[in-house]
Amino acid sequence: MFYIHQHSCISPQQTFPVSRIDELSDAVDKKLQVIEPSYEQIPPGMLRRMGKAVRIGVGAALPILKGLPAPDGIILGTANAGKEDCVKFLNQIIEYNEGMLTPLNFVQGTPNAIASQVGILTKNHGYNITHMHLGLAFEHVLTDADMQITENPSGLFLIGAVDDISVYNYYFEDKGGWYKKETVTGKQLYDSGTDGSVAGEAAAMFMVNGNRTGAAAKLIAINSLHHTDAEVMKKYLQQFIINHLPHGEKIDLLLSGENGDNRLRVFYDAAEEITGRETAIARFKHMSGEFPTATAMGLWLCCRFLQGDEIPGHMIKYSKPEKGLRNILIYNNYKGIQHSFILVAIP
Amino acid sequence: MDTATLKLQLKQQIVEFLNLLNVKPEDIKDDEPLFGEGLGLDSIDSIELIVLLNREYGIVIEDPKEGRKILVNVNTMVDYIEKHRTK
Amino acid sequence: MNRIVVTGIGVISAMGDSVAENRASLILGKCGISLLDMFPSKFSGSLPVAEVKKNNTALQEKLNAFEPGVTRTSLLALHAFEEAVANSGLSNNQLSDFNTALVSGNTVGGMCLTDEMYEDAKKETTGSEYIASYDYASVNMYLQQRYRLNGNINTINTACSSSANAIMYGARLIKSGRAQRAIVGGADSLAKFTINGFNALHILSPEICTPFDINRKGLNLGEGAAFLVLEKESDCPGKKIYATLSGYANTNDAYHASSLSDEGIGPFKAMQQALQSANLSASDIDFINAHGTGTENNDLVEGTAMLQLFKTVPPFASTKANTGHTLGAAGAIEAVYSILNLHHQELYPGINFKEPIPATGLVPVKTYQQKGLEHIMSNSFGFGGNCSTLIFSKP
């Protein structure tokens, strides 16, 4: 359990530097791409070398570090960061037949580049790690932060996740059958009845510690599971809720990772079944698109709502939560095998 | 190609190759240090510039340390290019 | 006592296909480095590398691993994973227990398939069987599916210190009650991708690498995998215990994307904080398995940091002179070697060294020695300034 204080999110929606998520930006060419800000805080000498993932990651991290004591660690998650540079380097290898190659793509292609660039820019010598376990990369960021704060109760940590759409990872995912063949817009995503989703990307960053004062939200629990059987997942989720809401409190809102992929419907239906009719349901993948660390943007949205922002109508699937939202469960499924359960509440 | 034209071409190539944001080729002075003060390039840039010399002028520099003697400023680079270019 | 102990180890490298073979090679001071010949490349026959001399077909047959899309990195991982699991005596039920975690790191993943990935990255192709294998997580996803693992599973990347961090993360999962046992380690296979990357940075040695030597010319790449089974001491009465994982630290040098600061702030802090976490003082360390890549930058900086931390620098050596730099696997392979040092109370001869770096004057262990060893430190540093140190102790 820990508290989330400052937070930021660069996403395909109007989320940075101020949030105006009631206005929905739609996918273009089956991709929801981030609205990039100008990066005044990144020195041009470093910006020139950054690929999109590093840029949006560092760009989202620096503003929330400003004015705070140096964090005790930087804990980031990503599945795709660096792939663009990796493939560019690969292209160099083939095109120049393993001849004289420029090393920059190779150096920038290492996925720990975002956490390390933030470390270099802020001269941070603390704990520095990048979790990369696909659809659970951000879940391990939360788990790691949870353990860090238990080990060091006065610790302050920058945590977050970044994934980007590069030309190449789009092709990999598309060929793997994870994007829709047809064009869908906005909430049509959920009703298409076909396989696949739309591509997305975002960077979300949070300052977290063990101090309740002034917090935006409380991360009550995080858990993850690998399984392809919805029945197993259902039992797991049920137990998760019993463990962390022991007095039978209801869940006010289920933030569902539903992404319009027909193959995953069974899991999201199962989550709705467990939370029941008393729990309102909202969805966000029509805003973020699908990518492995989408739950980081999901958590950012939760922080906004728990701080009193209204949930926009386009997100509501079932019932609107009454005023005084107290807690939110995020359930997300990645590719039918990786399950994420995040319980977050008012501080 | 005369030396003045080569200098401008090289500056354009440096800006493009290293993706130097906010730097205009004509702003780079001929004797401005490329590393440290001046343009503030680093060891990775020096290797990138060695590759630039290879791809654009057919110059092969095997030892990056030798490179540092050539990559002092635009003057020293142009001087070396004029003597050693193979294309 | 809730100490974290090592109850199983597995390793495959250019030094051999098993823990026993690796140890035998270490005792003999064998060098696993030879000219590249396991895959076609411009560097075939000319670049020294440390290969596992088994091609993919041989590995597949030995492991009965014919799943579509399986990569060399996953095969090497599977090889070491199976040895560690068998060594610890874990049953299939224990493997699929919700309390069994798997944490590993790599830096190449499926990108060992450089040419296939190049084709799959084109718009016009339809996608090969490897389309889902290029990801770093593909190694753990493969192990997860093969063994129906149900516990916490994580893939970590901190470049060349990845598997040291995987070991640390697994230990923390156990300490925090999120796992009862953790199978932790790393794997990487040789690839055109990394060979050309390190070549572009001009840090590959054209000759066999000579860590900590004045005339060192860079590193040799290697390949391999290693896994450790970590458990709580109180959970394994009567079980064979190889070592305790008594301390660890992860710090950042915060200096440059691909080289270490002259002062070695990151390496110094990693070693210092690992000592603190183990409740040990510098003089307690009996041996350091150094990162020692053989590059001009690393060995000078690592030596400088060691001199700063230790009044008298303890015996040390770099086994990268034997195994090459196995990148994401290095932390785990060197952890296994450190555990062997402790378990057999022996130091292995450091090889390829002639003359010390004048600025440090440090000379690695050169001969085989049997001696009492209590605490061993293992260093792993990576691009992005990611520095990690593990300390293993005699149980």
Side-chain angles (χ1 to χ4, degrees), chain C residues 112-134:
Chain C
C112 51
L113 299 157
T114 309
D115 294 285
E116 290 82 350
M117 189 168 169
Y118 176 78
E119 286 301 314
D120 277 341
K122 289 181 185 164
K123 187 179 182 182
E124 57 278 10
T125 55
T126 52
S128 71
E129 65 174 292
Y130 299 108
I131 201 80
S133 306
Y134 301 123

mmCIF file of all heavy atoms in Angstrom, chain C residues 112-134:
data_model
loop_
_atom_site.group_PDB
_atom_site.id
_atom_site.type_symbol
_atom_site.label_atom_id
_atom_site.label_comp_id
_atom_site.label_asym_id
_atom_site.label_seq_id
_atom_site.Cartn_x
_atom_site.Cartn_y
_atom_site.Cartn_z
ATOM 1 N N CYS C 112 17.905 -12.015 -31.326
ATOM 2 C CA CYS C 112 18.979 -12.852 -31.851
ATOM 3 C C CYS C 112 18.643 -13.235 -33.297
ATOM 4 O O CYS C 112 19.523 -13.533 -34.087
ATOM 5 C CB CYS C 112 19.188 -14.087 -30.980
ATOM 6 S SG CYS C 112 17.703 -15.022 -30.633
ATOM 7 N N LEU C 113 17.352 -13.192 -33.641
ATOM 8 C CA LEU C 113 16.922 -13.501 -35.014
ATOM 9 C C LEU C 113 16.985 -12.227 -35.859
ATOM 10 O O LEU C 113 15.979 -11.757 -36.377
ATOM 11 C CB LEU C 113 15.493 -14.038 -34.987
ATOM 12 C CG LEU C 113 15.301 -15.330 -34.196
ATOM 13 C CD1 LEU C 113 13.859 -15.474 -33.758
ATOM 14 C CD2 LEU C 113 15.712 -16.518 -35.037
ATOM 15 N N THR C 114 18.192 -11.682 -35.969
ATOM 16 C CA THR C 114 18.348 -10.384 -36.621
ATOM 17 C C THR C 114 17.711 -10.340 -38.014
ATOM 18 O O THR C 114 16.959 -9.433 -38.338
ATOM 19 C CB THR C 114 19.851 -10.039 -36.710
ATOM 20 O OG1 THR C 114 20.416 -10.207 -35.407
ATOM 21 C CG2 THR C 114 20.064 -8.620 -37.162
ATOM 22 N N ASP C 115 17.999 -11.349 -38.828
ATOM 23 C CA ASP C 115 17.522 -11.309 -40.215
ATOM 24 C C ASP C 115 16.012 -11.515 -40.303
ATOM 25 O O ASP C 115 15.328 -10.849 -41.073
ATOM 26 C CB ASP C 115 18.249 -12.354 -41.058
ATOM 27 C CG ASP C 115 19.726 -12.023 -41.187
ATOM 28 O OD1 ASP C 115 20.053 -11.102 -41.952
ATOM 29 O OD2 ASP C 115 20.538 -12.662 -40.490
ATOM 30 N N GLU C 116 15.486 -12.444 -39.483
ATOM 31 C CA GLU C 116 14.039 -12.677 -39.476
ATOM 32 C C GLU C 116 13.301 -11.416 -39.035
ATOM 33 O O GLU C 116 12.274 -11.046 -39.602
ATOM 34 C CB GLU C 116 13.682 -13.833 -38.528
ATOM 35 C CG GLU C 116 14.123 -15.214 -38.989
ATOM 36 C CD GLU C 116 15.583 -15.524 -38.674
ATOM 37 O OE1 GLU C 116 16.340 -14.606 -38.261
ATOM 38 O OE2 GLU C 116 15.978 -16.690 -38.848
ATOM 39 N N MET C 117 13.854 -10.760 -38.027
ATOM 40 C CA MET C 117 13.208 -9.551 -37.514
ATOM 41 C C MET C 117 13.220 -8.456 -38.579
ATOM 42 O O MET C 117 12.251 -7.716 -38.737
ATOM 43 C CB MET C 117 13.931 -9.085 -36.253
ATOM 44 C CG MET C 117 13.215 -7.964 -35.530
ATOM 45 S SD MET C 117 13.927 -7.721 -33.893
ATOM 46 C CE MET C 117 13.173 -6.174 -33.404
ATOM 47 N N TYR C 118 14.288 -8.372 -39.327
ATOM 48 C CA TYR C 118 14.390 -7.391 -40.414
ATOM 49 C C TYR C 118 13.266 -7.620 -41.418
ATOM 50 O O TYR C 118 12.588 -6.683 -41.846
ATOM 51 C CB TYR C 118 15.757 -7.515 -41.080
ATOM 52 C CG TYR C 118 15.942 -6.626 -42.274
ATOM 53 C CD1 TYR C 118 16.207 -5.265 -42.110
ATOM 54 C CD2 TYR C 118 15.881 -7.139 -43.573
ATOM 55 C CE1 TYR C 118 16.391 -4.443 -43.198
ATOM 56 C CE2 TYR C 118 16.063 -6.318 -44.670
ATOM 57 C CZ TYR C 118 16.319 -4.972 -44.487
ATOM 58 O OH TYR C 118 16.494 -4.152 -45.572
ATOM 59 N N GLU C 119 13.037 -8.892 -41.768
ATOM 60 C CA GLU C 119 11.962 -9.212 -42.714
ATOM 61 C C GLU C 119 10.593 -8.897 -42.113
ATOM 62 O O GLU C 119 9.735 -8.312 -42.773
ATOM 63 C CB GLU C 119 12.021 -10.704 -43.103
ATOM 64 C CG GLU C 119 13.163 -11.061 -44.044
ATOM 65 C CD GLU C 119 13.108 -10.283 -45.363
ATOM 66 O OE1 GLU C 119 12.009 -10.194 -45.948
ATOM 67 O OE2 GLU C 119 14.163 -9.762 -45.787
ATOM 68 N N ASP C 120 10.395 -9.286 -40.862
ATOM 69 C CA ASP C 120 9.089 -9.086 -40.228
ATOM 70 C C ASP C 120 8.780 -7.610 -39.992
ATOM 71 O O ASP C 120 7.625 -7.232 -39.807
ATOM 72 C CB ASP C 120 9.010 -9.857 -38.900
ATOM 73 C CG ASP C 120 8.640 -11.327 -39.109
ATOM 74 O OD1 ASP C 120 8.101 -11.647 -40.188
ATOM 75 O OD2 ASP C 120 8.874 -12.141 -38.206
ATOM 76 N N ALA C 121 9.816 -6.777 -39.967
ATOM 77 C CA ALA C 121 9.594 -5.347 -39.730
ATOM 78 C C ALA C 121 9.180 -4.624 -41.007
ATOM 79 O O ALA C 121 8.875 -3.438 -40.983
ATOM 80 C CB ALA C 121 10.858 -4.712 -39.158
ATOM 81 N N LYS C 122 9.188 -5.352 -42.124
ATOM 82 C CA LYS C 122 8.769 -4.720 -43.389
ATOM 83 C C LYS C 122 7.258 -4.750 -43.486
ATOM 84 O O LYS C 122 6.607 -5.681 -43.019
ATOM 85 C CB LYS C 122 9.350 -5.484 -44.577
ATOM 86 C CG LYS C 122 10.837 -5.313 -44.752
ATOM 87 C CD LYS C 122 11.264 -6.103 -45.978
ATOM 88 C CE LYS C 122 12.766 -6.081 -46.152
ATOM 89 N NZ LYS C 122 13.189 -7.133 -47.093
ATOM 90 N N LYS C 123 6.724 -3.757 -44.140
ATOM 91 C CA LYS C 123 5.266 -3.652 -44.265
ATOM 92 C C LYS C 123 4.704 -4.810 -45.077
ATOM 93 O O LYS C 123 3.661 -5.380 -44.741
ATOM 94 C CB LYS C 123 4.916 -2.324 -44.928
ATOM 95 C CG LYS C 123 3.423 -2.049 -44.937
ATOM 96 C CD LYS C 123 3.101 -0.723 -45.582
ATOM 97 C CE LYS C 123 1.585 -0.493 -45.499
ATOM 98 N NZ LYS C 123 1.199 0.749 -46.149
ATOM 99 N N GLU C 124 5.391 -5.179 -46.152
ATOM 100 C CA GLU C 124 4.779 -6.046 -47.156
ATOM 101 C C GLU C 124 4.818 -7.547 -46.809
ATOM 102 O O GLU C 124 4.107 -8.324 -47.413
ATOM 103 C CB GLU C 124 5.402 -5.806 -48.542
ATOM 104 C CG GLU C 124 6.912 -5.983 -48.645
ATOM 105 C CD GLU C 124 7.716 -4.761 -48.184
ATOM 106 O OE1 GLU C 124 7.133 -3.824 -47.600
ATOM 107 O OE2 GLU C 124 8.945 -4.761 -48.388
ATOM 108 N N THR C 125 5.624 -7.948 -45.811
ATOM 109 C CA THR C 125 5.680 -9.380 -45.498
ATOM 110 C C THR C 125 4.497 -9.763 -44.594
ATOM 111 O O THR C 125 3.848 -8.903 -44.008
ATOM 112 C CB THR C 125 7.003 -9.733 -44.782
ATOM 113 O OG1 THR C 125 7.122 -8.889 -43.637
ATOM 114 C CG2 THR C 125 8.191 -9.523 -45.685
ATOM 115 N N THR C 126 4.239 -11.068 -44.486
ATOM 116 C CA THR C 126 3.054 -11.477 -43.725
ATOM 117 C C THR C 126 3.361 -11.824 -42.269
ATOM 118 O O THR C 126 2.454 -11.932 -41.466
ATOM 119 C CB THR C 126 2.375 -12.706 -44.361
ATOM 120 O OG1 THR C 126 3.381 -13.697 -44.546
ATOM 121 C CG2 THR C 126 1.725 -12.364 -45.682
ATOM 122 N N GLY C 127 4.580 -12.018 -41.922
ATOM 123 C CA GLY C 127 4.880 -12.336 -40.524
ATOM 124 C C GLY C 127 5.288 -13.783 -40.372
ATOM 125 O O GLY C 127 4.564 -14.689 -40.762
ATOM 126 N N SER C 128 6.438 -14.007 -39.756
ATOM 127 C CA SER C 128 6.963 -15.356 -39.602
ATOM 128 C C SER C 128 6.464 -15.959 -38.291
ATOM 129 O O SER C 128 5.736 -15.317 -37.535
ATOM 130 C CB SER C 128 8.488 -15.311 -39.587
ATOM 131 O OG SER C 128 8.926 -14.719 -38.377
ATOM 132 N N GLU C 129 6.900 -17.192 -38.017
ATOM 133 C CA GLU C 129 6.515 -17.828 -36.742
ATOM 134 C C GLU C 129 7.111 -17.092 -35.539
ATOM 135 O O GLU C 129 6.733 -17.324 -34.407
ATOM 136 C CB GLU C 129 6.980 -19.292 -36.724
ATOM 137 C CG GLU C 129 8.507 -19.445 -36.750
ATOM 138 C CD GLU C 129 8.986 -20.897 -36.584
ATOM 139 O OE1 GLU C 129 8.804 -21.441 -35.493
ATOM 140 O OE2 GLU C 129 9.525 -21.454 -37.565
ATOM 141 N N TYR C 130 8.079 -16.209 -35.815
ATOM 142 C CA TYR C 130 8.778 -15.527 -34.717
ATOM 143 C C TYR C 130 8.149 -14.188 -34.341
ATOM 144 O O TYR C 130 8.692 -13.471 -33.512
ATOM 145 C CB TYR C 130 10.250 -15.322 -35.090
ATOM 146 C CG TYR C 130 10.972 -16.612 -35.342
ATOM 147 C CD1 TYR C 130 11.334 -16.989 -36.628
ATOM 148 C CD2 TYR C 130 11.254 -17.480 -34.289
ATOM 149 C CE1 TYR C 130 11.975 -18.192 -36.858
ATOM 150 C CE2 TYR C 130 11.894 -18.679 -34.510
ATOM 151 C CZ TYR C 130 12.258 -19.034 -35.794
ATOM 152 O OH TYR C 130 12.898 -20.224 -36.019
ATOM 153 N N ILE C 131 7.014 -13.860 -34.966
ATOM 154 C CA ILE C 131 6.470 -12.509 -34.822
ATOM 155 C C ILE C 131 6.248 -12.107 -33.357
ATOM 156 O O ILE C 131 6.404 -10.948 -33.006
ATOM 157 C CB ILE C 131 5.176 -12.353 -35.671
ATOM 158 C CG1 ILE C 131 4.883 -10.888 -35.948
ATOM 159 C CG2 ILE C 131 3.976 -13.049 -35.065
ATOM 160 C CD1 ILE C 131 5.674 -10.289 -37.055
ATOM 161 N N ALA C 132 5.936 -13.079 -32.506
ATOM 162 C CA ALA C 132 5.713 -12.746 -31.095
ATOM 163 C C ALA C 132 6.961 -12.985 -30.246
ATOM 164 O O ALA C 132 6.920 -12.866 -29.026
ATOM 165 C CB ALA C 132 4.553 -13.563 -30.544
ATOM 166 N N SER C 133 8.065 -13.356 -30.905
ATOM 167 C CA SER C 133 9.250 -13.790 -30.138
ATOM 168 C C SER C 133 10.323 -12.720 -29.985
ATOM 169 O O SER C 133 11.301 -12.938 -29.299
ATOM 170 C CB SER C 133 9.893 -15.006 -30.819
ATOM 171 O OG SER C 133 8.940 -16.015 -31.008
ATOM 172 N N TYR C 134 10.145 -11.575 -30.653
ATOM 173 C CA TYR C 134 11.224 -10.581 -30.619
ATOM 174 C C TYR C 134 11.287 -9.853 -29.284
ATOM 175 O O TYR C 134 12.282 -9.238 -28.932
ATOM 176 C CB TYR C 134 11.053 -9.568 -31.754
ATOM 177 C CG TYR C 134 11.058 -10.230 -33.100
ATOM 178 C CD1 TYR C 134 10.006 -10.087 -33.989
ATOM 179 C CD2 TYR C 134 12.116 -11.054 -33.469
ATOM 180 C CE1 TYR C 134 10.009 -10.726 -35.212
ATOM 181 C CE2 TYR C 134 12.128 -11.702 -34.677
ATOM 182 C CZ TYR C 134 11.064 -11.534 -35.558
ATOM 183 O OH TYR C 134 11.072 -12.187 -36.749
#
